[in-house]
Amino acid sequence: YRRLPLTDKRRKENFRNSVRQCLDRMTVLTIERQRMFSKRARQYMLAYHSIELSKEKRESGGEAESSNAKLEMSAYLVEKIIK
């Protein structure tokens, strides 16, 4: 959608046509691309799940809240876990 010219997105009908064109399963959203996006989404879900498990384990271990080693969800941490 970002690659389409602005003139194709200006009017309501042009916008709808461009969205339909971007979501076309034969040319744009092929099975391979859908699988690639699904794989990436699963990786993110697993990363968030592992962060959440680490936080729960840390809390149940009785570690103090003021600890400097506190694990926070951040985009950097998620990307680090995925790679």
Side-chain angles (χ1 to χ4, degrees):
Y1 182 78
R2 290 179 285 164
R3 295 179 188 161
L4 293 175
L6 192 58
T7 57
D8 289 349
K9 300 183 238 180
R10 284 251 163 110
R11 308 237 173 189
K12 189 175 186 178
E13 191 58 37
N14 288 347
F15 172 75
R16 288 183 180 178
N17 287 336
S18 63
V19 170
R20 280 190 206 106
Q21 180 184 1
C22 292
L23 296 176
D24 184 25
R25 290 183 178 226
M26 293 299 167
T27 58
V28 179
L29 285 179
T30 61
I31 295 293
E32 293 81 22
R33 288 181 64 104
Q34 290 175 14
R35 288 180 180 154
M36 178 187 66
F37 294 141
S38 295
K39 179 182 176 184
R40 185 180 299 165
R42 278 191 303 275
Q43 289 173 341
Y44 276 98
M45 286 187 278
L46 290 173
Y48 282 114
H49 182 68
S50 68
I51 291 171
E52 191 64 31
L53 286 178
S54 297
K55 284 173 71 174
E56 287 176 4
K57 185 185 283 186
R58 213 173 272 250
E59 289 173 2
S60 67
E63 192 170 322
E65 287 279 327
S66 62
S67 172
N68 290 339
K70 191 173 177 182
L71 188 61
E72 293 291 329
M73 276 194 220
S74 66
Y76 173 75
L77 183 60
V78 172
E79 291 296 325
K80 189 175 177 181
I81 289 173
I82 289 174
K83 292 179 182 181

